[in-house]
């Protein structure tokens, strides 16, 4: 048995760290939490200073026994859970559940899973930080009180199955408040006037100048209120001479953004890659835990991905500056290293920003070892970090004031003089070069046209994932680890839905939000939720006992809860009535919400369970649309149907007699879906033949007796670069010891 036991949170880390530490260490995973508050009861003793009751997680019973056995046979136990408050709490729970003695226990943390970082952590262990543990305990107890006390009230007064949460309810409130702003918004008319001008010296390149002032009084955005006022200005400009009054040229520098924090990574991945917050974190977790990128053991490609700090280790910064000089030249290396400070409230500056573990691991050089999504996110993280350490971009700008009677028009131009950090990381709002002709003071210009244009002010946009995360962070609500699960929860509970990529509150969400704001306005508000985060920080810094924070919250909360129990009437969530009639019973259809969007359901549900797809025009959409394409098997017309998540496909009109189906490519053409491949494997449930199919997530096995038998197993495959045959999982191998999948033909 090895002398030392290292306990990590996930099996992926277990594999990577085991290779790094060698034979003297055994590395095992706790698979996350092994102790928690009980699910079946409240688990908080209010009368005895909010004492929590922790129990071993049911699924961890066998695991705990195994870890105890390994710990007893080891000289030292290193608790190597994640580098955040939750990780510290998991380490403490491990110590308690395994009955580890202080003398035998050491806590180690690391920002990155690299040989240097892991070995340094083992050589420099510390004791458990009980301030961090208590801070996480306070968060858990607080969320349990809110969830277990408020949720039953919502079940009783609104609808069974609802939930409330300290962070999720504020997120719903922010979305509902924005929807109210949009509904109550009254557009305001305003006008702009541009002049299209041309140099008199034979130039053919016209340029535009915008009306800026009159007699020294500047025109604001809403200064020209209507057409009559715009026409008055046009009349005063009739016959005016246009003369260049002043010309100013200068250089403007643009600095790079800092490296990613959790929230900025999620925002950028949403905007640039279309990833959800949960998808971004799932991929980032894989990049952090370790991926084999060629010779040598697997290594983490990025640092810890749950952070709100912008710090960079000095050794890494020095290495990065040398990399920049070698790969891009001295002009791209700043004279002094760049340092960034986060603007988010209560950021944990002891952490590091999200960055590649080595600047030399250029994305293109390891692309073959990564999945498409892994490469996209790693490429984004690498470029953002490298750019954050580079020199400014430099623009040459020119501004010209052009006089016309008492009016001044303003023309401006900008050209990129030096790329700087833009060579690596293009900013979405990159300025396009806008050149002006060479103008001289006193020069007369020819007017080509005056261009008045009507505008209206627009309401604030609905939140998408990126802007909602930004709003939560700016208000100090939640922590890096909470953004993705919060968004998932409010979608799963149908408090909000996605219209395209924008959040729209459902009728249910609006009713729940109104109830919580009216009866629990003391806690369901931005200030309270942000204030709690500050108090949790104080607990982490050992400045206040965690029980005091809970008590301060619970006393007024209990009064509000009792008042709501007595005075809150049963609420009804009204479904929006439509003009469509149910084809089965003739009653009106109503618009209902689901996580996948809105649909039409019969108003007499559950007596009549008829549902219909909802078209963009608010009316019932046809379930199937006949096309002019033909089935290759029976020559019948193909009909277009809506499949999973609204993705269309083609099916034979004579289904189920003919079950031919086709995918639709980007040009609208039919693409025959591949036939399932027969195998020698037998279904472990009904002994029928297993069929091999190819899905979006790769190859998998399904029972040929579907839909009577729905047995399905995924086939685990190696990374593309490994060039190995697909492997069956342990469970699939047990289907038949001798059965094998048909061999794949080698691709050229």
């Amino acid at each position: 048995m090895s002398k030392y036991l290292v306990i990590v949170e996930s099996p992926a880390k277990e594999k990577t760290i085991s290779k790094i530490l060698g034979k003297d260490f055994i590395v095992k995973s706790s698979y996350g939490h092994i102790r928690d508050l009980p699910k079946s009861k409240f688990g908080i003793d209010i009368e005895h200073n909010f004492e929590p009751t922790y129990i071993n997680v049911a699924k961890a019973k066998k695991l705990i026994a195994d870890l105890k056995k390994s710990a007893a046979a080891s000289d030292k136990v290193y608790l190597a859970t994640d580098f955040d408050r939750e990780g510290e709490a998991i380490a403490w729970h491990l110590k308690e559940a395994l009955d580890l003695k202080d003398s035998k226990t050491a806590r180690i943390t690391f920002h990155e899973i690299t040989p240097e970082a892991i070995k340094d952590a083992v050589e420099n262990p510390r004791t458990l930080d009980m301030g961090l543990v208590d801070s996480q305990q306070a968060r858990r107890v607080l969320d349990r009180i809110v969830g277990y006390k408020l949720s039953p009230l919502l079940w009783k007064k609104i609808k069974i199955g609802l939930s409330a949460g300290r962070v999720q309810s504020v997120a719903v409130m922010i979305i509902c408040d924005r929807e109210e702003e949009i509904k109550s918004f009254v557009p305001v008319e305003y006008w702009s006037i541009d002049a299209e001008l041309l140099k008199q010296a034979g130039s053919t390149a016209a340029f535009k100048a915008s009306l800026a002032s009159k007699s020294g009084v500047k025109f604001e955005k809403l200064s020209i209120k209507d057409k009559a006022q715009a026409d008055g200005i046009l009349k005063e400009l009739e016959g005016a001479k246009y003369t260049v009054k002043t010309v100013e040229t200068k250089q403007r520098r643009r600095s790079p953004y800092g490296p990613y924090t959790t929230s900025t990574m999620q925002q950028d991945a949403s905007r640039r890659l279309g990833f959800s917050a949960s998808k971004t974190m799932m991929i980032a977790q894989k990049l952090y835990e370790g991926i084999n990128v060629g010779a040598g053991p697997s290594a983490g490609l990025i640092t810890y991905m749950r952070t709100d700090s912008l710090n960079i280790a000095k050794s890494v910064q020095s290495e990065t500056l040398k990399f920049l000089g070698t790969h891009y030249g001295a002009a791209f290396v700043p004279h002094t290293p760049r340092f960034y400070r986060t603007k988010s409230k209560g950021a944990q500056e002891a952490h590091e920003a999200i960055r590649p573990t080595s600047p030399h691991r250029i994305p293109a050089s390891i692309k073959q070892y990564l999945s498409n999504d892994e490469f996209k996110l790693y490429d984004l993280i690498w470029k953002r970090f490298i750019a954050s350490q580079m020199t400014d971009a430099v623009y040459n700008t020119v501004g010209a004031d052009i006089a016309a009677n008492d009016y001044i028009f303003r023309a401006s131009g900008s050209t990129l003089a030096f790329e700087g950090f833009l060579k690596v990381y293009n900013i979405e709002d990159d300025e396009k070069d806008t050149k002006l002709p060479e103008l001289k003071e006193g020069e007369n210009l020819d007017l080509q046209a005056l261009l008045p244009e009507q505008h209206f002010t627009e309401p604030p946009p609905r939140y998408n994932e990126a802007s909602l995360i930004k709003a939560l962070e700016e208000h100090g609500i939640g922590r890096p680890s909470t953004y993705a699960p919060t968004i998932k929860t409010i979608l799963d509970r149908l408090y909000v839905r996605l219209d395209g990529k924008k959040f729209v509150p459902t009728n249910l969400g609006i009713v729940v939000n109104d109830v919580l704001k009216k009866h629990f306005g003391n806690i369901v508000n931005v200030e309270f939720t942000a204030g709690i985060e500050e108090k949790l920080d104080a607990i982490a810094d050992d400045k206040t006992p965690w029980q005091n924070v809970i008590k301060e919250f619970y006393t007024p909360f209990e009064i509000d809860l009792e008042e709501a129990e007595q005075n809150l009437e049963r609420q009804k969530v009204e479904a929006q009535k439509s003009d469509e009639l149910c084809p089965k019973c003739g009653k009106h259809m109503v618009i209902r919400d689901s996580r996948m969007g809105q649909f039409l359901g019969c108003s007499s549900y559950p007596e009549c369970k008829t549902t219909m797809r909802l078209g963009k025009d608010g009316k019932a959409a046809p379930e199937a649309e006949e096309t002019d394409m033909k089935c290759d098997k029976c020559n019948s017309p193909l009909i277009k149907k809506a499949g999973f998540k609204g993705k269309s496909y083609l099916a034979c009109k004579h289904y189920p007699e003919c079950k031919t189906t086709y995918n639709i490519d980007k040009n609208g053409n039919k693409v025959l879906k591949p036939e399932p491949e027969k195998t020698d494997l037998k279904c472990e449930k009904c002994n029928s033949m297993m069929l091999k199919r190819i899905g979006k997530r790769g190859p998998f096995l399904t029972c040929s007796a579907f839909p009577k038998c729905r047995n399905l197993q995924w086939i685990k495959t190696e990374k593309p670069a490994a060039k190995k045959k697909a492997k069956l999982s342990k469970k699939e191998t047990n289907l038949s010891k001798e059965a094998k999948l048909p061999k794949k033909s080698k691709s050229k």
Side-chain angles (χ1 to χ4, degrees), residues 363-586:
S365 69
I366 60 172
K367 185 175 183 179
Q368 59 181 317
Y369 304 106
L370 305 177
S371 70
N372 191 38
D373 287 342
E374 288 168 352
F375 171 76
K376 285 179 180 178
L377 187 60
Y378 178 73
D379 184 61
L380 201 62
I381 293 168
W382 186 90
K383 287 179 177 178
R384 174 76 167 233
F385 171 69
I386 295 297
S388 75
Q389 304 302 305
M390 297 175 75
T391 50
D392 293 343
V394 181
Y395 293 87
N396 289 329
T397 64
V398 58
D401 284 347
I402 299 160
N405 293 344
D406 295 333
Y407 292 92
I408 295 292
F409 287 79
R410 179 77 178 175
S412 58
S414 175
T415 55
L416 183 64
F418 177 66
E419 287 178 294
F421 74 93
L422 293 175
K423 188 173 185 67
V424 172
Y425 180 84
N426 290 322
I427 297 175
E428 284 184 325
D429 62 347
D430 252 356
E431 301 175 21
K432 295 180 180 178
D433 284 356
T434 52
K435 290 187 178 180
L436 287 181
E438 190 175 333
L439 302 174
K440 296 179 181 179
E441 292 183 9
E443 179 181 4
N444 291 326
L445 303 171
D446 286 339
L447 176 68
Q448 300 298 295
L450 283 172
L451 306 171
E453 187 174 356
Q454 183 187 39
H455 308 273
F456 290 93
T457 55
E458 295 183 352
R462 286 179 173 138
Y463 288 104
N464 55 22
E465 277 209 3
S467 58
L468 180 61
I469 289 170
K470 185 177 181 181
L472 292 172
E473 184 187 37
E474 286 177 346
H475 289 302
I477 298 169
R479 276 290 178 261
S481 59
T482 64
Y483 301 134
T486 295
I487 290 172
K488 183 179 185 302
T489 299
I490 63 177
L491 283 168
D492 288 345
R493 297 293 181 188
L494 298 182
Y495 293 152
V496 300
R497 63 179 178 84
L498 284 170
D499 183 3
K501 293 187 176 182
K502 303 286 187 179
F503 290 111
V504 181
T506 62
N507 289 344
L508 175 62
I510 291 170
V511 170
V512 171
N513 180 61
D514 288 344
V515 166
L516 294 178
K517 281 178 71 174
K518 182 177 179 181
H519 294 274
F520 300 93
N522 293 330
I523 61 170
V524 182
N525 66 65
V526 170
E527 291 76 18
F528 170 82
T529 309
I532 284 292
E533 297 296 343
E534 293 175 3
K535 290 173 182 176
L536 293 174
D537 291 338
I539 296 169
D541 295 335
D542 290 326
K543 293 179 180 178
T544 183
W546 70 266
Q547 292 91 342
N548 289 1
V549 173
I550 303 300
K551 186 176 181 180
E552 184 182 340
F553 153 77
Y554 187 76
T555 303
F557 173 72
E558 190 177 29
I559 296 171
D560 290 341
L561 188 65
E562 189 175 329
E563 186 274 333
E565 286 277 5
Q566 294 177 359
N567 301 326
L568 179 60
E569 296 180 356
R570 176 82 182 177
Q571 304 291 303
K572 188 175 181 181
V573 181
E574 296 287 348
Q576 184 181 342
K577 197 173 181 180
S578 77
D579 295 330
E580 298 286 339
L581 297 178
C582 177
K584 290 187 179 179
C585 69

Side-chain angles (χ1 to χ4, degrees), residues 279-339:
K279 179 177 180 178
T280 299
M281 294 308 291
M282 180 184 67
I283 298 169
Q285 182 88 29
K286 292 179 183 177
L287 296 175
Y288 165 69
E289 290 179 343
I291 292 176
N292 194 322
V293 290
S298 299
L301 301 185
I302 64 171
T303 53
Y304 191 54
M305 65 289 160
R306 293 186 183 91
T307 176
D308 47 16
S309 171
L310 289 173
N311 282 347
I312 298 296
K314 289 184 178 180
S315 59
V316 173
Q317 192 168 48
S318 176
E319 181 186 4
T320 304
L321 295 178
K322 290 178 183 176
F323 170 84
L324 292 176
T326 303
H327 285 75
Y328 298 101
F332 291 88
V333 182
H335 295 300
T336 56
R338 292 188 179 277
F339 295 96

Side-chain angles (χ1 to χ4, degrees), residues 168-195:
Q168 75 173 57
S169 297
V170 175
V172 174
M173 183 195 71
I174 289 173
I175 294 169
C176 289
D177 287 351
R178 176 57 57 89
E179 196 68 18
E180 280 300 312
E181 284 184 69
I182 294 169
K183 287 181 179 178
S184 61
F185 180 80
V186 179
V188 176
E189 180 184 6
Y190 68 98
W191 287 68
S192 64
I193 299 175
D194 290 342

Side-chain angles (χ1 to χ4, degrees), residues 720-735:
K723 294 183 179 178
K724 293 180 180 179
K725 295 177 183 178
K727 290 184 178 180
L728 291 175
S729 68
K730 186 177 179 181
K731 183 178 180 182
E732 293 155 3
T733 305
N734 290 336
L735 292 173

Side-chain angles (χ1 to χ4, degrees), residues 123-285:
E123 290 169 6
N124 299 281
R126 61 171 173 81
T127 57
L128 280 167
D129 187 332
M130 289 309 297
L132 295 177
V133 172
D134 286 346
S135 179
Q136 184 62 26
Q137 278 200 99
R139 180 190 293 277
R140 188 75 184 92
V141 169
L142 186 61
D143 289 343
R144 172 57 65 103
I145 291 172
V146 173
Y148 271 60
K149 294 288 186 180
L150 269 187
S151 297
L153 177 72
L154 298 180
W155 286 37
K156 188 188 299 182
K157 303 293 185 178
I158 303 176
K159 181 184 175 184
I160 290 176
L162 301 183
S163 71
R166 184 177 53 86
V167 175
Q168 75 173 57
S169 297
V170 175
V172 174
M173 183 195 71
I174 289 173
I175 294 169
C176 289
D177 287 351
R178 176 57 57 89
E179 196 68 18
E180 280 300 312
E181 284 184 69
I182 294 169
K183 287 181 179 178
S184 61
F185 180 80
V186 179
V188 176
E189 180 184 6
Y190 68 98
W191 287 68
S192 64
I193 299 175
D194 290 342
E196 191 173 73
L197 301 165
L198 196 65
K199 282 174 66 75
Q200 291 183 342
S203 174
T204 57
F207 65 96
K208 287 183 180 180
S210 300
L211 185 61
S213 64
K214 178 185 180 182
S215 302
V217 179
K218 185 179 177 181
F219 281 103
E220 303 294 343
K221 179 180 177 179
L222 304 179
S223 292
I224 307 174
K225 300 183 183 304
D226 50 36
K227 187 176 187 302
Q229 193 175 350
D231 288 343
I233 294 171
L234 296 178
K235 189 168 183 64
E236 291 180 9
L237 286 168
E238 287 180 2
K241 290 184 178 181
Y242 290 79
T243 305
V244 179
K245 185 178 180 181
T246 60
V247 178
E248 182 183 20
T249 59
K250 58 183 180 181
Q251 281 196 333
R252 180 173 55 80
R253 308 181 76 85
R254 185 168 190 175
S255 298
Y257 295 131
Y260 283 133
T261 60
T262 302
S263 68
T264 54
M265 177 182 70
Q266 290 173 342
Q267 291 169 50
D268 232 15
S270 174
R271 284 190 294 258
R272 291 169 175 257
L273 307 178
F275 289 177
S276 66
S278 56
K279 179 177 180 178
T280 299
M281 294 308 291
M282 180 184 67
I283 298 169
Q285 182 88 29

